[in-house]
Amino acid sequence: MTTQRSTAPAAFGGSRLGWADLPRHVRRRIVELTGAEVISETSATSGFSPGFAGVLELGDGTEVFVKAVSAEQNPESPELARSEIEVARHLPAAVPAPRMRWSDDDGTWVILAFDAVSGRSPELPWHPEDLERVLGALTQLAEAGRPAAGLLRPLAKDMAAMAQGWDLLADDAAALTRARLALAPHGDWLADNLGRLQGWAADAVEACQGDHLVHGDLRADNVMLAPDTVWLIDWPHAAGNGAGWYDLLTMLPSVAMQAGGDPAEIFWSQPTTRGADRDAVRAVLAGISGYFVHGAVQPAPTGITNLRAFQTAQGIEALDWLRRF
């Protein structure tokens, strides 16, 4: 059986800017683009971005969800924000994602504004009712529509980078040793089977391909449950030309670490996996496992101190699933 946990690392970077922390010219620009004064803020309490993220209550009685980030908080965050802007322009209308109202990029600060949608995060440890709703939303996402060819980068491009994790560990003895220590109870198995893991992951690029839109980073903290809608949020990693089961597979290690159930049982019970090739699924699972494990033993990125613990926990569950494949 998979390792079940009642607690897991928080999906939070450890620090986040508040409204008062933003430079004055950034606040002025947000007020200008929203068209009303900011009365109050409610900061987001999950997600790994160290920039500003929160719902702003405006003087005209409306609300808007705003993100703002610069390289000072994290060098990669502005590029992720730019990616999310591009994705938001091309999401099919049937996708349950908050609508982007506007964006702004002065070369240093990237700002995005979305409709402020009501809802709550799934309760953790996972409640069966919440998980059932989210799994249903993933099925709907796989059926929701496909972006026109070329509008989003192909998933294979992202997978080619992620699937290198085992090769990178094989070339770095110190990192491999750290992984063996961090990934208990799988450390010795990892070392003994590194060649097999590399071989499986080598097929991940071809195995992940399909004709579906994928979110690319689904976890409990990227979901909001409203009474009639399951909102899927934070789309910078979205891609096209992916397998219909990709988001389900990549989400389930986090579900397992948050005591949501056996990922293998959940995966094969879902409509999107009917007819899926087991070797292809194993290849993609090996690829994302290597991504988690290699990332887990790297230095913490600027402003995101909790990410490595989160990746370690996901890596443990992904390897547990892979060992039982």
Side-chain angles (χ1 to χ4, degrees):
M1 292 296 292
T2 190
T3 305
Q4 292 296 299
R5 301 181 177 189
S6 60
T7 60
F12 185 62
S15 62
R16 175 161 284 156
L17 298 179
W19 175 251
D21 299 318
L22 291 172
R24 186 171 300 175
H25 76 276
V26 175
R27 285 179 283 160
R28 282 201 303 264
R29 184 62 174 152
I30 292 172
V31 169
E32 176 185 349
L33 290 168
T34 56
E37 292 295 323
V38 174
I39 303 302
S40 66
E41 64 159 316
T42 302
S43 294
T45 57
S46 64
F48 287 105
S49 173
F52 174 81
V55 175
L56 300 179
E57 181 183 356
L58 305 177
D60 63 4
T62 64
E63 294 182 334
V64 62
F65 183 80
V66 171
K67 300 180 181 181
V69 70
S70 75
E72 183 176 351
Q73 290 81 56
N74 175 269
E76 297 181 4
S77 290
E79 287 307 313
L80 288 174
R82 293 180 179 112
S83 176
E84 186 166 12
I85 291 168
E86 191 63 23
V87 169
R89 292 171 176 156
H90 301 303
L91 286 180
V95 172
R99 178 182 62 91
M100 186 174 71
R101 294 188 181 185
W102 51 259
S103 64
D104 190 67
D105 185 350
D106 65 6
T108 299
W109 282 89
V110 186
I111 312 171
L112 304 80
F114 296 89
D115 287 346
V117 298
S118 61
R120 61 173 178 84
S121 297
E123 292 191 37
L124 302 178
W126 278 92
H127 285 198
E129 297 83 1
D130 287 357
L131 182 59
E132 183 178 1
R133 291 190 65 194
V134 174
L135 293 174
L138 294 192
T139 300
Q140 293 170 11
L141 175 61
E143 302 168 348
R146 297 160 175 82
L151 293 182
L152 296 180
R153 65 183 180 275
L155 178 61
K157 182 177 180 179
D158 290 344
M159 180 53 69
M162 289 189 289
Q164 295 178 20
W166 297 121
D167 292 337
L168 293 171
L169 283 170
D171 292 337
D172 187 340
L176 182 58
T177 297
R178 294 196 300 273
R180 291 183 65 176
L181 295 173
L183 271 291
H186 307 302
D188 290 341
W189 182 89
L190 182 162
D192 293 342
N193 292 273
L194 185 57
R196 295 173 69 195
L197 291 165
Q198 290 175 272
W200 292 334
D203 295 328
V205 172
E206 181 177 354
C208 77
Q209 296 184 51
D211 59 358
H212 294 266
L213 166 72
V214 300
H215 178 283
D217 195 29
L218 279 174
R219 308 179 305 265
D221 56 292
N222 283 338
V223 173
M224 290 185 65
L225 302 175
D228 300 319
T229 305
V230 177
W231 295 104
L232 307 180
I233 62 176
D234 291 341
W235 286 79
H237 300 283
N241 304 108
W245 43 261
Y246 179 83
D247 279 324
L248 174 65
L249 182 147
T250 56
M251 184 185 78
L252 286 175
S254 70
V255 170
M257 79 177 189
Q258 293 160 338
D262 185 327
E265 292 181 4
I266 296 170
F267 182 83
W268 293 110
S269 72
Q270 297 304 299
T272 53
T273 66
R274 290 172 188 159
D277 182 84
R278 291 186 66 87
D279 288 342
V281 173
R282 182 179 63 184
V284 174
L285 180 57
I288 67 136
S289 298
Y291 170 74
F292 289 144
V293 174
H294 178 261
V297 296
Q298 304 308 304
T302 302
I304 314 179
T305 57
N306 207 37
L307 177 61
R308 300 312 185 202
F310 201 85
Q311 289 175 322
T312 299
Q314 288 176 290
I316 289 171
E317 299 295 352
L319 280 177
D320 181 81
W321 182 6
L322 193 59
R323 289 183 67 175
R324 296 181 294 114
F325 208 91

